[in-house]
Amino acid sequence: MKVLVTGGAGYIGSTTASALEDAGHTPIILDSLIRGRREYAVRYPFYEGDIADRELLGRIFREHPDIGATLHFAALIVVPESVAHPYLYYHENVVKSLELFRALDELGCERIIFSSSASIYGSNTGSDFKVSEDTPHAPDSPYARTKHMIEMALEDMSRALHFRSIALRYFNPIGADPAMRTGPYDEAPTHVLDILADVASGRIPIFRITGVDWPTRDGSGIRDYLHVWDLARAHVLAVERFDAAFDAFGGDFIPINLGSGRGVTVRELVAAFETVWGKPIAKEEAPPRDGDVAGAYASADRAAKLLGWKTELPLTQTIADALRWVHEVRPRMLGY
Ligand SMILES: NC(=O)c1ccc[n+]([C@@H]2O[C@H](COP(=O)([O-])OP(=O)(O)OC[C@H]3O[C@@H](n4cnc5c(N)ncnc54)[C@H](O)[C@@H]3O)[C@@H](O)[C@H]2O)c1
């Protein structure tokens, strides 16, 4: 199937484009390159432009009338930036997604899969930190609120218009494509594993375990890390099983958590990292940063039931792939 991939020059969109291709599908990339990497996009038919550009969307669907689904990754994603620039985030993420959805409806696209985020649950995680799709939302940053708002609009528009939609709520994707075609590209990384890799190579002097008094099993925060390749595979399954998922679930909109279903604490992640790296890294304990939460992990039962998906790659492989990407492949491919 041809699949429109907005944000396909970015970290997760480019990994998913590779997974789509490996499964015999054809990704068509739409990305403005406001972030992301041109190298990641040009592997496929690539349209450089904005998701809210109706004329461009019209051209894409004229040139590819057989597009069967849209994966909507394009967004701004940096939480502190969203706090400093809320208008930018509501405009880029919410307003432009509404324009995209309206255009996709007019262009006859019947299947939309939206990149949502576990951050919409905020700190609403109960005492066991496990969240299901029915856990009430408590988004606690402008970024998270854009995801929450887009989901609400998408649900209403799916009911009223011609498309149906799935919101995939990602937990904590990390790592790089195991075949090393793409990976995280940020020179100043904010993802924990990229930071650990930079500490290991000496680019960053020390790793801070921020928050060690949370009510978790070892006091550090708890997250639900999953290999970005497992996440990418979930999108392929969401495309392939889209209609069957609605046959089983009903309605016009399905939110689905994507996580391993197991929590990993920050201390456990650091220990796994040191095992793969082969020696201890420089680390220290520090108080939580403003806005930090104890964390959460997914109830992933719905993804198993509707998509036949669960995570497969162990944390150690995720770490090994991330290290190979950051230390060997990315410097060759991107020059840093
Ligand atoms: N990375 C994570 O940990 C994480 C977690 C949960 C959800 N998500 C969601 O997954 C999606 C992809 O995230 P990512 O980590 O790959 O981010 P990314 O920044 O690497 O990729 C986003 C891509 O979207 C493009 N883009 C942004 N605005 C655009 C616009 N208006 N028109 C066209 N292109 C535009 C950027 O150029 C970039 O290539 C986002 O929607 C994000 O909110 C990410």
Side-chain angles (χ1 to χ4, degrees):
M1 187 193 295
K2 274 190 189 169
V3 182
L4 178 62
V5 181
T6 80
Y11 168 48
I12 301 171
S14 65
T15 316
T16 302
S18 300
L20 283 166
E21 185 187 28
D22 289 359
H25 304 289
T26 305
I28 312 287
I29 311 292
L30 168 60
D31 198 298
S32 65
L33 298 181
I34 185 169
R35 306 279 153 89
R37 296 289 311 198
R38 182 178 296 279
E39 296 89 329
Y40 294 180
V42 294
R43 305 177 298 148
Y44 305 107
F46 170 44
Y47 295 84
E48 183 174 345
D50 200 279
I51 53 166
D53 183 340
R54 291 168 74 81
E55 234 170 80
L56 178 59
L57 285 162
R59 179 154 79 84
I60 294 172
F61 276 79
R62 269 197 310 284
E63 292 176 6
H64 303 280
D66 46 345
I67 287 174
T70 297
L71 293 176
H72 177 33
F73 295 94
L76 298 180
I77 68 157
V78 183
V79 171
E81 186 183 51
S82 80
V83 173
H85 304 287
Y87 170 79
L88 179 72
Y89 269 67
Y90 286 113
H91 188 255
E92 292 298 313
N93 290 1
V94 180
V95 173
K96 289 187 173 177
S97 290
L98 297 187
E99 292 305 319
L100 172 72
F101 298 151
R102 189 164 67 137
L104 290 176
D105 180 57
E106 288 169 5
L107 293 164
C109 183
E110 293 175 351
R111 301 178 191 88
I112 297 177
I113 296 163
F114 168 60
S115 300
S116 189
S117 164
S119 64
I120 61 175
Y121 300 118
S123 49
N124 235 357
T125 57
S127 55
D128 63 354
F129 307 111
K130 187 168 181 171
V131 292
S132 81
E133 291 83 354
D134 298 325
T135 300
H137 296 187
D140 51 17
S141 71
Y143 164 74
R145 279 190 276 278
T146 69
K147 293 288 164 187
H148 168 65
M149 289 167 79
I150 297 167
E151 275 205 20
M152 289 194 301
L154 191 55
E155 181 169 8
D156 289 341
M157 290 174 87
S158 300
R159 196 174 298 130
L161 304 180
H162 303 103
F163 58 74
R164 295 184 295 189
S165 60
I166 294 177
L168 297 177
R169 296 176 180 162
Y170 314 162
F171 278 66
N172 304 99
I174 52 175
D177 172 13
M180 297 288 126
R181 288 163 287 193
T182 63
Y185 57 85
D186 226 340
E187 271 195 275
T190 53
H191 282 63
V192 63
L193 192 47
D194 304 337
I195 296 171
L196 284 168
D198 276 1
V199 172
S201 68
R203 280 168 59 130
I204 296 177
I206 197 158
F207 182 79
R208 285 202 170 77
I209 302 175
T210 46
V212 290
D213 290 319
W214 300 112
T216 60
R217 52 185 169 261
D218 63 17
S220 66
I222 194 159
R223 301 286 182 271
D224 190 338
Y225 298 108
L226 73 163
H227 196 303
V228 69
W229 187 251
D230 275 330
L231 185 66
R233 280 195 313 103
H235 289 78
V236 176
L237 289 167
V239 166
E240 294 176 345
R241 302 196 179 187
F242 192 96
D243 296 344
F246 280 95
D247 290 345
F249 192 81
D252 307 289
F253 170 80
I254 312 177
I256 302 178
N257 284 346
L258 294 181
S260 68
R262 295 178 300 274
V264 175
T265 68
V266 177
R267 284 191 208 276
E268 287 165 354
L269 177 73
V270 173
F273 184 89
E274 289 176 329
T275 303
V276 175
W277 181 240
K279 51 183 185 234
I281 58 154
K283 55 187 177 294
E284 67 181 6
E285 297 179 356
R289 296 158 304 182
D290 269 0
D292 271 355
V293 291
Y297 64 97
S299 156
D301 297 347
R302 187 176 288 175
K305 194 164 158 227
L306 296 182
L307 305 180
W309 175 88
K310 63 179 174 51
T311 57
E312 286 174 357
L313 299 173
L315 187 58
T316 43
Q317 184 185 335
T318 315
I319 293 167
D321 286 339
L323 279 172
R324 208 172 130 221
W325 170 257
V326 174
H327 290 165
E328 292 172 35
V329 181
R330 193 179 70 185
R332 263 202 320 273
M333 190 188 288
L334 304 181
Y336 55 85

